[in-house]
DNA sequence: CTTAAAACAAACAGACTGTATGTATGTTTA
DNA sequence: TAAACATACATACAGTCTGTTTGTTTTAAG
């Protein structure tokens, strides 16, 4: 059995990220050792350190993949919505649904900040989900559905934090809490739109 | 020089928590070793492990002290406010101002979740600042300043996350961003009140 | 076919955590 | 007040983990 170098690399990285996601999500960053990861991925620790700078670097790769997954879920959710305000609401629900997976939760909201570093994590975040949110807010402002004088950056930050926390508190879990969070979210956006 | 046991204990714990706050806030939980802490506090590592179960237990004590500080800042801010909606707004600003200290920030919002564990941290949080927020929301509902059918738990969770994130994004830092976040916060609460 | 480079594996050094053992200081009681 | 005890503190140790270094195999290129 002979594989090209590119294939070997892709296969090793893929396996390490896949296994890393599972273990980091289950036992946390500190509770997951590099021997554990290497063994579960069926490679040596040396290979891990060949493909990633250190343990945090692997974690970082897992986080990026995770944000891409969320981003896709949001996009999927809003493809058939046109009203800017409804895009914000539906996109948010897509985010909550996708991020409510316990593994995502722990990686992104529990360990993420401490491992990647608050600012650095937010920079990844700001390129994906939060960027979508901000664009959505600005579009709604342009369309006159949200007050034009509202500072978009500040509102984006707050609402992004609100969504993250809703997920962390388990409001995406069962049907009653999904209903409650849905009500709260719609009220926040509708309330703002009343000020336009 | 002879001290009573109670005094010795109080002094050692106080010093360890004080030094712990500073070091955890500066270098993070993982970047702060127990030898560092013991040395800076002028005690032995044995003493640390005598007073606290482990490193995380000391961190937990630091977090609790920190939440009490925030709680006090909020209470201070709302003593002379009577309108339930204004209490929510002013209390929130007090929170942001107090939590914007970089050391608080890192301990509570960056390392806190991963060390104490998402759920466990929230339980401390829920007994202090978030509890205040929830009571404020319910009071505003009773007074007819917020919609009575709004699910208080969900809204509390979201707004609590919104405030935390505003702090983390540095909106308590300089005057322009303080102004922006102030605008966003007022808009959120006023918008909700329009639905009442 | 030989040589260079990439991928992988194994061995090593340093650091840290938590514990076990030992000492000193304070507290209770006979 | 002096022995018995408990609490506070200090030191030494065992095990584990991380990141690096050194060595081996596999692929790519001349």
């Amino acid at each position: 059995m002979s594989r090209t170098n590119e294939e070997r690399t892709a296969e090793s990285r893929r396996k390490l990220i896949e296994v890393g996601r599972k273990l980091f999500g289950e036992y946390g960053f500190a509770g997951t050792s590099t021997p554990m990861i290497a063994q579960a991925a069926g490679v040596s620790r040396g290979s891990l350190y060949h493909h990633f700078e250190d343990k945090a670097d692997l974690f970082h790769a897992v986080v990026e993949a995770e944000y891409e997954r969320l981003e896709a879920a949001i996009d999927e959710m809003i493809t058939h919505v046109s009203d800017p305000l409804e895009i914000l609401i539906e996109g948010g629900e897509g985010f909550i649904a996708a991020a409510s997976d316990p593994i995502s939760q722990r990686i992104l909201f529990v360990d993420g900040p401490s491992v990647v570093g608050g600012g650095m994590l937010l920079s990844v975040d700001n390129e994906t989900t939060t960027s979508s949110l901000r664009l959505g807010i600005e579009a709604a402002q342009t369309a006159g559905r949200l007050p034009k004088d509202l500072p978009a950056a500040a509102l984006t930050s707050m609402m992004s934090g609100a969504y993250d926390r809703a997920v962390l508190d388990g409001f995406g879990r069962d049907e009653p809490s999904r209903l409650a969070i849905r009500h709260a979210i719609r009220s926040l956006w509708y309330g703002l739109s009343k000020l336009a």
Side-chain angles (χ1 to χ4, degrees), chain A:
Chain A
M1 133 186 175
S2 125
R3 290 175 306 170
T4 173
N5 265 347
E6 206 172 351
E7 283 170 340
R8 286 208 296 174
T9 293
E11 173 70 6
S12 290
R13 282 187 61 102
R14 194 194 59 74
K15 202 87 174 77
L16 282 167
I17 290 177
E18 176 190 322
V19 156
R21 186 189 118 90
K22 193 176 297 186
L23 293 177
F24 287 142
E26 174 98 31
Y27 305 107
F29 182 78
T32 304
S33 68
T34 50
M36 278 170 73
I37 297 169
Q39 184 176 5
V43 303
S44 71
R45 239 162 54 80
S47 177
L48 191 164
Y49 278 91
H50 176 72
H51 290 291
F52 298 95
E53 201 155 316
D54 53 20
K55 196 175 128 182
D57 188 40
L58 169 59
F59 186 86
H60 195 275
V62 171
V63 165
E64 281 195 350
E66 209 54 22
Y67 266 113
E68 279 165 25
R69 204 178 60 77
L70 294 190
E71 184 65 18
I74 294 174
D75 286 346
E76 166 74 17
M77 198 77 174
I78 62 179
T79 40
H80 296 297
V81 185
S82 56
D83 177 50
L85 208 59
E86 289 301 322
I87 286 182
L88 284 171
I89 293 170
E90 293 299 323
E93 297 210 2
F95 170 81
I96 290 181
S100 283
D101 167 42
I103 292 185
S104 281
Q105 247 180 76
R106 176 140 198 195
I107 290 175
L108 295 179
F109 307 131
V110 178
D111 285 348
S114 101
V115 176
V116 185
M120 200 55 74
L121 179 66
L122 296 184
S123 86
V124 176
D125 179 24
N126 283 336
E127 286 165 15
T128 54
T129 60
T130 299
S131 166
S132 296
L133 180 55
R134 168 139 195 185
L135 291 176
I137 287 174
E138 285 168 353
Q141 286 182 306
T142 305
R145 304 293 321 262
L146 287 180
K148 288 196 168 56
D149 66 331
L150 210 49
L155 184 63
T156 302
S157 177
M158 291 195 76
M159 290 306 294
S160 175
Y163 283 116
D164 287 6
R165 180 63 170 273
V167 168
L168 203 54
D169 280 0
F171 279 102
R173 228 169 12 222
D174 49 22
E175 200 49 33
S177 45
R178 260 196 297 273
L179 230 60
I181 208 66
R182 189 183 176 84
H183 189 158
I185 290 174
R186 294 191 95 86
S187 299
L188 282 168
W189 290 118
Y190 284 157
L192 286 174
S193 78
K194 290 262 185 195
L195 303 175

